[in-house]
mmCIF file of all heavy atoms in Angstrom:
data_model
loop_
_atom_site.group_PDB
_atom_site.id
_atom_site.type_symbol
_atom_site.label_atom_id
_atom_site.label_comp_id
_atom_site.label_asym_id
_atom_site.label_seq_id
_atom_site.Cartn_x
_atom_site.Cartn_y
_atom_site.Cartn_z
ATOM 1 N N ILE A 316 -3.716 9.622 -5.455
ATOM 2 C CA ILE A 316 -4.007 8.312 -5.009
ATOM 3 C C ILE A 316 -4.027 7.389 -6.186
ATOM 4 O O ILE A 316 -4.651 7.678 -7.256
ATOM 5 C CB ILE A 316 -5.368 8.313 -4.208
ATOM 6 C CG1 ILE A 316 -5.664 6.973 -3.527
ATOM 7 C CG2 ILE A 316 -6.568 8.706 -5.067
ATOM 8 C CD1 ILE A 316 -6.721 7.076 -2.488
ATOM 9 N N THR A 317 -3.262 6.287 -6.090
ATOM 10 C CA THR A 317 -2.937 5.408 -7.259
ATOM 11 C C THR A 317 -2.785 6.219 -8.516
ATOM 12 O O THR A 317 -1.887 6.967 -8.630
ATOM 13 C CB THR A 317 -3.944 4.252 -7.360
ATOM 14 O OG1 THR A 317 -5.283 4.812 -7.231
ATOM 15 C CG2 THR A 317 -3.775 3.153 -6.318
ATOM 16 N N HIS A 318 -3.723 6.067 -9.527
ATOM 17 C CA HIS A 318 -3.505 6.838 -10.734
ATOM 18 C C HIS A 318 -4.459 8.037 -10.850
ATOM 19 O O HIS A 318 -4.696 8.511 -11.917
ATOM 20 C CB HIS A 318 -3.697 5.876 -11.917
ATOM 21 C CG HIS A 318 -2.814 4.668 -11.843
ATOM 22 N ND1 HIS A 318 -1.453 4.820 -11.729
ATOM 23 C CD2 HIS A 318 -3.073 3.387 -11.870
ATOM 24 C CE1 HIS A 318 -0.929 3.622 -11.639
ATOM 25 N NE2 HIS A 318 -1.879 2.719 -11.640
ATOM 26 N N HIS A 319 -4.876 8.506 -9.691
ATOM 27 C CA HIS A 319 -5.699 9.729 -9.737
ATOM 28 C C HIS A 319 -4.957 10.905 -9.198
ATOM 29 O O HIS A 319 -4.299 10.780 -8.135
ATOM 30 C CB HIS A 319 -6.953 9.514 -8.857
ATOM 31 C CG HIS A 319 -7.813 8.394 -9.371
ATOM 32 N ND1 HIS A 319 -8.888 8.618 -10.193
ATOM 33 C CD2 HIS A 319 -7.789 7.076 -9.146
ATOM 34 C CE1 HIS A 319 -9.493 7.479 -10.453
ATOM 35 N NE2 HIS A 319 -8.799 6.522 -9.846
ATOM 36 N N LYS A 320 -4.990 12.016 -9.889
ATOM 37 C CA LYS A 320 -4.463 13.261 -9.392
ATOM 38 C C LYS A 320 -5.673 14.130 -9.064
ATOM 39 O O LYS A 320 -6.442 14.467 -9.958
ATOM 40 C CB LYS A 320 -3.657 13.947 -10.454
ATOM 41 C CG LYS A 320 -2.158 13.692 -10.338
ATOM 42 C CD LYS A 320 -1.414 14.557 -11.252
ATOM 43 C CE LYS A 320 0.068 14.186 -11.281
ATOM 44 N NZ LYS A 320 0.681 14.829 -12.443
ATOM 45 N N ILE A 321 -5.829 14.443 -7.771
ATOM 46 C CA ILE A 321 -7.050 15.124 -7.386
ATOM 47 C C ILE A 321 -6.771 16.623 -7.058
ATOM 48 O O ILE A 321 -5.763 16.938 -6.367
ATOM 49 C CB ILE A 321 -7.627 14.427 -6.170
ATOM 50 C CG1 ILE A 321 -8.180 13.110 -6.620
ATOM 51 C CG2 ILE A 321 -8.787 15.235 -5.559
ATOM 52 C CD1 ILE A 321 -8.295 12.118 -5.525
ATOM 53 N N VAL A 322 -7.611 17.461 -7.619
ATOM 54 C CA VAL A 322 -7.573 18.844 -7.250
ATOM 55 C C VAL A 322 -8.900 19.168 -6.629
ATOM 56 O O VAL A 322 -9.970 18.915 -7.228
ATOM 57 C CB VAL A 322 -7.348 19.744 -8.486
ATOM 58 C CG1 VAL A 322 -7.291 21.189 -8.074
ATOM 59 C CG2 VAL A 322 -6.108 19.369 -9.226
ATOM 60 N N GLY A 323 -8.852 19.624 -5.374
ATOM 61 C CA GLY A 323 -10.152 19.767 -4.684
ATOM 62 C C GLY A 323 -10.394 21.149 -4.114
ATOM 63 O O GLY A 323 -9.472 21.947 -3.871
ATOM 64 N N THR A 324 -11.679 21.440 -3.982
ATOM 65 C CA THR A 324 -12.061 22.677 -3.303
ATOM 66 C C THR A 324 -13.065 22.264 -2.211
ATOM 67 O O THR A 324 -13.623 21.159 -2.291
ATOM 68 C CB THR A 324 -12.742 23.693 -4.252
ATOM 69 O OG1 THR A 324 -13.678 22.981 -5.023
ATOM 70 C CG2 THR A 324 -11.740 24.388 -5.127
ATOM 71 N N ALA A 325 -13.351 23.194 -1.309
ATOM 72 C CA ALA A 325 -14.325 22.904 -0.232
ATOM 73 C C ALA A 325 -15.380 23.954 -0.227
ATOM 74 O O ALA A 325 -15.122 25.158 -0.489
ATOM 75 C CB ALA A 325 -13.594 22.833 1.117
ATOM 76 N N ILE A 326 -16.610 23.540 0.025
ATOM 77 C CA ILE A 326 -17.690 24.508 0.178
ATOM 78 C C ILE A 326 -18.315 24.314 1.541
ATOM 79 O O ILE A 326 -18.336 23.159 2.063
ATOM 80 C CB ILE A 326 -18.755 24.436 -0.927
ATOM 81 C CG1 ILE A 326 -19.424 23.094 -0.991
ATOM 82 C CG2 ILE A 326 -18.178 24.789 -2.293
ATOM 83 C CD1 ILE A 326 -20.634 23.012 -1.922
ATOM 84 N N LEU A 327 -18.788 25.376 2.085
ATOM 85 C CA LEU A 327 -19.332 25.296 3.440
ATOM 86 C C LEU A 327 -20.875 25.603 3.322
ATOM 87 O O LEU A 327 -21.267 26.692 2.877
ATOM 88 C CB LEU A 327 -18.638 26.346 4.357
ATOM 89 C CG LEU A 327 -19.176 26.458 5.751
ATOM 90 C CD1 LEU A 327 -18.951 25.166 6.514
ATOM 91 C CD2 LEU A 327 -18.451 27.629 6.506
ATOM 92 N N VAL A 328 -21.644 24.706 3.869
ATOM 93 C CA VAL A 328 -23.139 24.904 3.909
ATOM 94 C C VAL A 328 -23.467 25.140 5.378
ATOM 95 O O VAL A 328 -23.278 24.246 6.194
ATOM 96 C CB VAL A 328 -23.907 23.688 3.382
ATOM 97 C CG1 VAL A 328 -25.419 23.917 3.428
ATOM 98 C CG2 VAL A 328 -23.453 23.365 1.963
ATOM 99 N N ASN A 329 -23.872 26.383 5.745
ATOM 100 C CA ASN A 329 -23.982 26.742 7.089
ATOM 101 C C ASN A 329 -25.388 26.527 7.749
ATOM 102 O O ASN A 329 -25.529 26.512 8.928
ATOM 103 C CB ASN A 329 -23.656 28.234 7.242
ATOM 104 C CG ASN A 329 -22.332 28.376 7.978
ATOM 105 O OD1 ASN A 329 -21.985 27.582 8.826
ATOM 106 N ND2 ASN A 329 -21.564 29.384 7.634
ATOM 107 N N ASP A 330 -26.368 26.400 6.850
ATOM 108 C CA ASP A 330 -27.731 26.336 7.431
ATOM 109 C C ASP A 330 -28.393 25.006 7.164
ATOM 110 O O ASP A 330 -29.512 24.914 6.727
ATOM 111 C CB ASP A 330 -28.570 27.508 6.830
ATOM 112 C CG ASP A 330 -28.516 27.474 5.309
ATOM 113 O OD1 ASP A 330 -27.741 26.664 4.765
ATOM 114 O OD2 ASP A 330 -29.271 28.240 4.709
ATOM 115 N N PHE A 331 -27.640 23.995 7.397
ATOM 116 C CA PHE A 331 -28.161 22.658 7.022
ATOM 117 C C PHE A 331 -29.146 22.080 8.000
ATOM 118 O O PHE A 331 -28.912 22.110 9.203
ATOM 119 C CB PHE A 331 -26.988 21.709 6.832
ATOM 120 C CG PHE A 331 -27.400 20.409 6.222
ATOM 121 C CD1 PHE A 331 -27.829 20.424 4.863
ATOM 122 C CD2 PHE A 331 -27.427 19.240 6.935
ATOM 123 C CE1 PHE A 331 -28.217 19.230 4.272
ATOM 124 C CE2 PHE A 331 -27.874 18.030 6.269
ATOM 125 C CZ PHE A 331 -28.267 18.067 4.997
#
Side-chain angles (χ1 to χ4, degrees):
I316 189 163
T317 46
H318 304 306
H319 297 266
K320 265 190 186 165
I321 292 157
V322 182
T324 47
I326 61 171
L327 177 65
V328 181
N329 250 328
D330 53 353
F331 191 68

